[in-house]
Amino acid sequence: MRGTFILFISLFLLNISIGNAQQEIEISLNEILEKVESNNHTVKISEQNFNAAKADYNQTNSILLPNISISHSGISTNNPLMAFGSKLNQEILTQEDFNPELLNDPDAIQNFTTKIEIQQPIFNADGIYMRKAAKAKMNAFELQTTRTIDAIKLEVTKVYMQLQVAYKAVEVLEKAKEAALENKKIAENSLKQGYLQQSDILSVEVHVTEVENQLLTAKSGIKNASDYLLFLIGDTSETLLKPSADLTADLNLEVYNQELSENRADIEAMEKSTEAYTNMYKANKMSYLPSLNAFGSYELYDDKIFNANANGYLVGAQLSWNVFEGFKRIGKTQKSKAELDKAEISLEQYKNKSQLEFNKAKRQLKDAENSMNLTSLAVEQSKEALRIRTNRYEQGLEKTSDVLISETKYLQKQLEYLQAVYNYNFTKSYVNFLTK
């Protein structure tokens, strides 16, 4: 009975452990990049900014299309003028209604009017340029969305590489831990034989603890990078992502020949934004010109609701010219000119800064390549030094402290190499991002 109970408890705890285990999924960079465009929240926000700008542009259709309205109103009045006019509109006026007594003191009359009104813009110069400004603004937001997607993909690439580094670091540290534990056994045997002192054993144990702490930190780095990737692709699951490809140096000398392109989406977006300010300035200047609009209405009258025994229409056109508004219009034009100048200066500054950033990134790429090559050589040298010292240590010809220093240096150079490969690969991706 007791054995059955213990077995039950063991199975129960095993099920809990399995249930709490985090599912690990291998995924490639391309798979994540495909997901990020449709699931990333920053991209979705940028798309909604474009939709809002598109809606503003659609509103400017009002300068081309007619404005049509329908209304139905009813009144009851004994106002002499209104009563006489209502009868006239209803086409029920008789000779008796011209009696001065009835004209001056009419009986109350009901009048119901159904009215269809149309207003058609014909020429509004300022509205035309405001429409152009709205379109340029919409195009700018569209280009900004494109650049936002590129930037998020760069961030995904960066975090994916960090995840590769973290997994590779765990692999390196686990091997370092095995080597440290093996050396600890050798040291303990040497202690029993009287070749080492207790202080040497403590130094070995400290080294093992340091490696274990680094291993725990690297494992936390895996979880952090995985969680951030899930966030970037809008995934709220508790999945643990694992790169399907190992971290390797992807050398590409052609990248040094690339040049900054002015067709880059963010630069074009700023150019479109400047175009919008140009059209706003022109619109304010065109507000000095007169505007021409046509209008018309068709009306139905009756003394009963929703009836139409009489009707009439009105058509016409209006040429209006707002000659002077104090200094309101002048100040508005001056402000739009200042905003245009600011936009042009900002565009030139952004282009210069982009070129500066691009030149800097290419130099950083070359530095990262050199660092990677030198660190790779340092790894091989430290590995060979550790091998020699370990062999001499096993023969009692080296101090424990010297072996520990060699182990630490070899581990350090391996981790530095991983970081150097990451720096090169990401810097290369960043240079490509700047040339898009």
Side-chain angles (χ1 to χ4, degrees):
M1 182 68 180
R2 182 181 177 185
T4 303
F5 177 74
I6 293 175
L7 178 61
F8 172 78
I9 292 296
S10 299
L11 291 174
F12 177 73
L13 294 175
L14 179 61
N15 287 334
I16 291 178
S17 176
I18 293 174
N20 291 334
Q22 197 169 28
Q23 183 182 9
E24 186 178 85
I25 295 179
E26 281 196 2
I27 191 168
S28 68
L29 178 59
N30 288 334
E31 289 176 311
I32 295 180
L33 293 177
E34 288 176 1
K35 292 182 179 181
V36 71
E37 190 166 343
S38 57
N39 298 331
N40 182 264
H41 291 92
T42 302
V43 173
K44 290 180 178 180
I45 292 172
S46 182
E47 288 173 347
Q48 293 311 311
N49 289 334
F50 165 71
N51 290 336
K54 184 178 180 180
D56 288 338
Y57 173 68
N58 289 337
Q59 291 181 50
T60 63
N61 288 330
S62 61
I63 69 168
L64 303 174
L65 302 177
N67 182 13
I68 302 173
S69 62
I70 301 176
S71 64
H72 184 80
S73 59
I75 62 170
S76 178
T77 181
N78 64 354
N79 178 283
L81 183 61
M82 294 291 293
F84 185 83
S86 296
K87 284 188 174 183
L88 188 62
N89 284 334
Q90 293 175 18
E91 300 177 2
I92 58 174
L93 204 64
T94 64
Q95 187 67 34
E96 295 180 358
D97 293 315
F98 288 94
N99 186 332
E101 292 183 1
L102 293 178
L103 285 174
N104 293 325
D105 188 18
D107 295 330
I109 185 172
Q110 286 72 42
N111 184 61
F112 295 93
T113 304
T114 300
K115 189 174 184 180
I116 303 173
E117 290 184 283
I118 299 178
Q119 295 177 330
Q120 175 63 56
I122 297 177
F123 176 75
N124 294 277
D126 57 338
I128 293 173
Y129 281 101
M130 289 182 69
R131 177 176 170 82
K132 290 181 178 180
K135 185 174 183 180
K137 179 183 175 183
M138 179 187 70
N139 292 336
F141 273 104
E142 184 177 18
L143 290 165
Q144 285 177 4
T145 299
T146 300
R147 193 58 176 173
T148 297
I149 293 173
D150 290 340
I152 293 298
K153 286 183 175 180
L154 177 67
E155 183 70 7
V156 165
T157 302
K158 175 183 176 181
V159 180
Y160 188 84
M161 291 177 181
Q162 290 174 346
L163 189 61
Q164 288 178 316
V165 170
Y167 270 101
K168 195 67 177 177
V170 167
E171 182 181 330
V172 169
L173 287 164
E174 284 177 343
K175 291 180 179 178
K177 180 181 176 182
E178 290 177 4
L181 290 173
E182 184 64 28
N183 288 335
K184 181 182 176 183
K185 290 181 181 179
I186 296 173
E188 288 174 345
N189 290 333
S190 298
L191 177 66
K192 292 177 182 179
Q193 297 173 13
Y195 298 139
L196 296 179
Q197 298 179 359
Q198 186 64 37
S199 59
D200 293 323
I201 297 297
L202 291 175
S203 298
V204 173
E205 290 176 346
V206 168
H207 176 68
V208 171
T209 302
E210 289 176 346
V211 173
E212 288 176 341
N213 285 336
Q214 287 180 284
L215 180 59
L216 291 174
T217 301
K219 289 182 177 179
S220 294
I222 288 176
K223 186 65 173 66
N224 293 337
S226 176
D227 287 348
Y228 190 28
L229 273 179
L230 290 172
F231 167 77
L232 290 174
I233 61 176
D235 191 336
T236 58
S237 67
E238 293 296 324
T239 306
L240 183 65
L241 300 179
K242 181 178 181 180
S244 59
D246 291 332
L247 179 70
T248 55
D250 187 14
L251 289 173
N252 182 5
L253 300 180
E254 291 296 325
V255 71
Y256 295 109
N257 299 325
Q258 294 180 351
E259 297 294 336
L260 183 69
S261 172
E262 291 195 359
N263 295 327
R264 212 171 69 185
D266 56 335
I267 295 177
E268 287 189 335
M270 289 201 68
E271 290 174 344
K272 288 295 180 181
S273 179
T274 303
E275 181 183 335
Y277 281 112
T278 301
N279 286 314
M280 286 298 298
Y281 173 58
K282 290 180 179 179
N284 288 327
K285 289 200 301 182
M286 291 297 175
S287 64
Y288 289 92
L289 298 177
S291 60
L292 178 63
N293 300 285
F295 58 88
S297 65
Y298 181 70
E299 301 174 358
L300 303 171
Y301 304 99
D302 204 283
D303 59 352
K304 295 182 177 58
I305 189 170
F306 296 124
N307 280 357
N309 288 328
N311 60 74
Y313 70 87
L314 173 69
V315 294
Q318 181 184 41
L319 180 67
S320 59
W321 195 352
N322 195 344
V323 179
F324 186 66
E325 289 183 313
F327 274 84
K328 178 181 178 181
R329 187 163 51 189
I330 295 174
K332 192 175 181 180
T333 303
Q334 291 173 340
K335 180 181 178 181
S336 63
K337 180 63 169 64
E339 289 175 340
L340 171 60
D341 292 341
K342 177 183 174 182
E344 290 175 343
I345 295 170
S346 298
L347 174 60
E348 186 65 24
Q349 181 190 41
Y350 191 78
K351 287 182 178 180
N352 293 338
K353 185 178 179 181
S354 297
Q355 185 65 55
L356 179 67
E357 189 175 5
F358 177 68
N359 294 338
K360 179 182 176 182
K362 286 208 296 186
R363 287 192 293 268
Q364 288 176 333
L365 180 62
K366 188 62 179 177
D367 292 340
E369 181 185 348
N370 293 334
S371 176
M372 183 176 62
N373 293 334
L374 292 174
T375 309
S376 176
L377 180 61
V379 169
E380 294 301 320
Q381 291 173 341
S382 60
K383 181 180 180 181
E384 181 62 17
L386 175 60
R387 186 188 68 79
I388 294 172
R389 287 187 183 274
T390 301
N391 290 338
R392 291 173 59 82
Y393 177 69
E394 291 174 354
Q395 298 171 15
L397 301 176
E398 288 285 350
K399 297 179 181 178
T400 304
S401 58
D402 293 334
V403 175
L404 293 179
I405 291 173
S406 294
E407 282 187 353
T408 303
K409 190 171 184 180
Y410 177 50
L411 175 59
Q412 178 185 354
K413 293 304 176 183
Q414 288 182 91
L415 296 178
E416 286 179 0
Y417 176 71
L418 294 179
Q419 186 63 40
V421 173
Y422 161 78
N423 289 340
Y424 175 79
N425 287 346
F426 173 70
T427 306
K428 187 186 65 175
S429 298
Y430 182 58
V431 170
N432 289 329
F433 169 74
L434 293 177
T435 58
K436 279 189 176 181

